[in-house]
Amino acid sequence: LIDRSMVASSERAARARQIEEKRRRIEELRGRKAARAAKKAEDREEAAASAAVATAEASAAELRRYVDSLVASASSLETTVAPPRLDEVPAEAASPGAKEPPPAAETR
């Protein structure tokens, strides 16, 4: 009777250890799963941030090209539409009796 009691007690203790080991393993796996999920979320956020930066850089480059084209157009208009400056007018045209240059074309 005592031997059976000791065996049963030993079996219960072994079973309790197995159950505790399974619980620990489950908690460890849950922790790993949560860590993987957090890492995936972090990776997604990082990818979204990188995409946003790339989009912003592309937009900035496009805007720079547009501004450059506007500056080039403005420079072109300035040389073709603007009246000559006094330092660019020939001396005979700038003399008091000379005819005045025609008025500059209107700009929009």
Side-chain angles (χ1 to χ4, degrees):
L1 187 64
I2 294 176
D3 288 338
R4 283 189 210 164
S5 173
M6 289 175 61
V7 169
S9 177
S10 176
E11 287 175 353
R12 283 193 301 273
R15 181 77 180 131
R17 283 191 299 273
Q18 287 176 344
I19 290 171
E20 187 56 37
E21 181 59 35
K22 284 183 181 181
R23 282 186 187 143
R24 241 183 312 200
R25 181 76 176 136
I26 288 169
E27 288 302 316
E28 182 181 320
L29 291 173
R30 284 181 183 158
R32 286 182 186 176
K33 184 177 179 181
R36 280 194 305 272
K39 177 74 170 119
K40 284 181 182 180
E42 184 179 307
D43 289 348
R44 281 192 299 271
E45 289 174 8
E46 188 175 316
S50 293
V53 167
T55 301
E57 288 173 347
S59 296
E62 185 177 337
L63 185 58
R64 278 192 295 274
R65 286 190 298 274
Y66 179 68
V67 168
D68 289 346
S69 72
L70 287 178
V71 168
S73 295
S75 295
S76 171
L77 286 174
E78 187 177 274
T79 58
T80 58
V81 175
R85 296 188 334 218
L86 287 180
D87 60 341
E88 295 175 346
V89 176
E92 61 274 357
S95 64
K99 185 178 176 184
E100 290 187 20
E106 288 185 351
T107 57
R108 292 182 189 188

